[in-house]
Amino acid sequence: METAGVIPGRRCWTAVVAVMVACSTVLTGTDHAAAGGPPAPVAPVPRLDWQPCVPGGPFDCATATVPLDHADPGGRTVELAVVRHRATDPGRRVGTLFFNPGGPGGPGTVQMPQTYGFLPREVRERFDIVSWDPRGIGNSTAVDCFATRQEATAWTAAKPVGIPVGARERADTFAAYRGLARRCAQRDPELLRHVSTADSARDLDLLRQAVGDPRLTYFGISYGTFLGATYANLFPGKVRAMTLDSNVDARAYADGALGDAPLTTFLRLGSDRSAAEVLERFLTLCGSTTTARCAFSAGGARATRAKFDELMRRLRTHPVGDWTYGRTAAEVVTGLYVVDPGWTDVARALQRLWQGRAPEQAQRPAPPPVPHPDPYLGDEQAAAVLCGESPNPRDPAAYPALEERAAARAGDAGRVWTWAAVACFSWPAVAADRYSGPWNRPTAPLLLVGTRYDPATPYADARALAGELAGARLLTLDGYGHTALINPSACVAGYESLYLVDGTLPPPGTTCHQDTAPFPAPTPTGSVATGGGALARARS
């Protein structure tokens, strides 16, 4: 799950993480016609004029025009950037699978092409895969509170990276987000009120109609699971199949008034405790292997934990270049999202810091073959969604106190996740169409996938959402990392394929394992060592 606050998700050590992690009147969000009220206004179905994204490329692009306010379909409109990969076996095509890469703030037109190969092969064969930049995000009509990129860069440089340490850094953080709120309120206040998850769910239903599918087939990860849960309860009769991977507890995210809240969104979700548990497993497994596999190993679990704690204490007063304690703690958490090669990369970076050297800069993944592969993704885009619909503290004095409470139960990870929602303390808008339940409307059976050790969306959230949604079946991945999609399991992929193609759910209580364990043996090189390529790892 991306964060709206201070986690620098786009500067992670692991390239895949850098891709995936980019942070008024309140309505209940009920489907008025279904609830027996007056018929809701009908928005026109957008026309998708598909064209190759780039000449000769495998993806098609289109732009969908939708109402800014779905209650006023004749008013102002916004544009959605949409991307598609056609089914690779068109003779056996089932329909369209809509994919949301999470966030809030994930640009689907970039992240779906970059992660397309992670989707199960049979799913790619049988479905057109379609994604989009949700309203307010990326290449769609976007929340952008700066006149120039230079202004945005200067704003970012004016605040500390990661956790603010001490009174001065906290003051700089609060001042930066107050300034951001003022800018956003001046630029486009109407847009800020209409970028909620419920707004995006209504957009998704228009996109479903635009591709001609009578019911929705959907795959959402992380925050995308909350979008899926919202759609399933706004349009319960329109769901064909829905896979939700790394789940957000819908009640914990959305429940409560949007006034001052006692906890941040992520502390309610338990992200801090989950991340602390994963970090402990990381250090234990690192200490249990050799430095050839985990560079930060101190030869035992206890010694490696002590080494990590000492490094973090040292960085508080003696940063290594611009690698402060706050930046390092935040990047450790996001670096744990991907087991292979992420955990190995985190260990190498920590070892370099231990030696007083800055970590090597991560190699950015190749840009996908789309017209705009690097859209602006400022903090305000995720904040517009999260802060407009999920309760968070409005008193800045609450954040240092919450940090200490979270640190008492979750150490450094608690500090990271406390500050991840700091943009919300001064956010100037409230969502006009916010959905906060009910969550149990009868719908087609849903497949939830929960990873046992997830540093962002706890396994407990997957279990909670499975109990909140009607007819949901939980498939457990006994492994590590954030989302089964980018921490692959052939077992999970097999069950997902069966479900999405045929509607067959796994038996209750089914558990799968990951294909690659943490800190695998170094990959051999050379044609002889790899069996002439026949045994080299590849993704079909």
Side-chain angles (χ1 to χ4, degrees):
M1 187 171 187
E2 288 192 30
T3 58
V6 294
I7 293 182
R10 298 179 184 90
R11 289 189 286 271
C12 297
W13 294 314
T14 305
V16 176
V17 175
V19 174
M20 296 301 295
V21 181
C23 311
S24 64
T25 301
V26 176
L27 304 180
T28 61
T30 55
D31 186 357
H32 301 299
V42 178
V45 176
R47 181 176 180 270
L48 298 176
D49 184 15
W50 295 109
Q51 300 292 332
C53 294
V54 296
F59 296 97
D60 300 321
C61 288
T63 300
T65 301
V66 298
L68 172 70
D69 183 353
H70 284 274
D72 181 20
R76 175 182 167 183
T77 61
V78 294
E79 292 188 340
L80 305 178
V82 190
V83 67
R84 175 184 70 178
H85 194 296
R86 288 184 177 274
T88 59
D89 188 353
R92 301 168 65 228
R93 179 181 177 274
V94 174
T96 298
L97 173 72
F98 286 90
F99 173 75
N100 180 274
T109 61
V110 177
Q111 293 181 348
M112 187 277 274
Q114 288 176 316
T115 58
Y116 173 78
F118 284 90
L119 292 166
R121 182 175 60 185
E122 187 170 8
V123 171
R124 289 179 276 135
E125 290 173 347
R126 307 292 296 276
F127 291 92
D128 293 346
I129 310 298
V130 171
S131 191
W132 76 108
D133 293 3
R135 56 172 60 213
I137 308 301
N139 292 308
S140 293
T141 299
V143 174
D144 184 349
C145 302
F146 298 94
T148 66
R149 295 288 74 81
Q150 290 77 14
E151 285 186 9
T153 300
W155 176 84
T156 299
K159 63 181 180 62
V161 177
I163 306 165
V165 177
R168 175 64 182 272
E169 288 195 356
R170 289 171 182 167
D172 289 345
T173 296
F174 291 133
Y177 282 104
R178 285 193 188 97
L180 181 66
R182 286 193 297 270
R183 288 175 180 271
C184 293
Q186 294 168 1
R187 291 277 287 183
D188 194 344
E190 188 182 17
L191 178 61
L192 298 185
R193 297 180 64 246
H194 293 284
V195 293
S196 71
T197 302
D199 290 315
S200 287
R202 299 183 198 282
D203 292 343
L204 177 56
D205 197 57
L206 290 178
L207 293 175
R208 172 194 62 80
Q209 296 174 64
V211 301
D213 282 10
R215 292 188 298 160
L216 178 75
T217 306
Y218 176 83
F219 194 123
I221 63 174
S222 194
Y223 159 80
T225 66
F226 181 72
L227 174 58
T230 300
Y231 182 96
N233 283 277
L234 285 176
F235 305 100
K238 297 298 185 180
V239 176
R240 176 190 169 272
M242 188 173 283
T243 294
L244 307 179
D245 175 3
S246 288
N247 296 274
V248 173
D249 180 344
R251 285 188 181 138
Y253 178 94
D255 276 6
L258 278 177
D260 199 22
L263 293 175
T264 70
T265 299
F266 302 110
L267 297 185
R268 287 198 308 277
L269 293 174
S271 300
D272 58 325
R273 283 188 279 205
S274 183
E277 185 176 16
V278 177
L279 176 57
E280 193 64 36
R281 304 282 293 191
F282 166 85
L283 295 170
T284 297
L285 293 172
C286 178
S288 301
T289 191
T290 65
T291 54
R293 295 193 180 191
C294 180
F296 194 65
S297 176
R302 182 177 299 180
T304 304
R305 161 51 88 174
K307 181 180 178 181
F308 177 81
D309 291 342
E310 172 59 28
L311 172 62
M312 301 306 279
R313 282 192 295 269
R314 185 194 304 170
L315 290 172
R316 279 182 173 270
T317 54
H318 296 89
V320 178
D322 60 358
W323 284 83
T324 62
Y325 163 78
R327 177 182 178 182
T328 302
E331 296 219 31
V332 165
V333 170
T334 52
L336 296 176
Y337 280 24
V338 181
V339 171
D340 181 28
W343 285 29
T344 301
D345 292 343
V346 170
R348 288 173 180 157
L350 289 173
Q351 183 63 18
R352 286 182 68 91
L353 289 170
W354 179 258
Q355 296 167 343
R357 299 183 295 160
E360 296 174 345
Q361 188 166 353
Q363 182 178 354
R364 290 180 61 86
V370 296
H372 306 291
D374 191 23
Y376 175 67
L377 298 171
D379 279 19
E380 65 267 37
Q381 294 184 6
V385 180
L386 177 76
C387 304
E389 67 182 10
S390 183
N392 278 281
R394 301 288 294 181
D395 179 2
Y399 288 82
L402 285 174
E403 177 189 352
E404 295 309 315
R405 286 176 54 188
R409 75 182 192 181
D412 300 307
R415 299 184 191 277
V416 170
W417 282 113
T418 297
W419 290 98
V422 67
C424 297
F425 92 90
S426 58
W427 192 250
V430 171
D433 186 12
R434 169 184 177 243
Y435 188 80
S436 58
W439 300 104
N440 60 349
R441 289 187 169 170
T443 185
L446 311 177
L447 176 62
L448 276 56
V449 181
T451 301
R452 188 83 67 181
Y453 301 103
D454 184 323
T457 51
Y459 180 66
D461 281 26
R463 296 183 65 181
L465 188 62
E468 292 162 9
L469 299 176
R473 178 71 52 81
L474 177 59
L475 172 63
T476 299
L477 176 60
D478 190 9
Y480 306 90
H482 185 47
T483 81
L485 180 68
I486 60 173
N487 293 283
S489 163
C491 172
V492 168
Y495 282 119
E496 288 174 340
S497 297
L498 283 171
Y499 167 71
L500 291 170
V501 172
D502 299 324
T504 303
L505 288 167
T510 299
T511 296
C512 289
H513 297 276
Q514 285 174 321
D515 295 344
T516 304
F519 306 120
T523 303
T525 58
S527 60
V528 175
T530 60
L535 300 179
R537 186 178 63 178
R539 182 172 302 282
S540 60

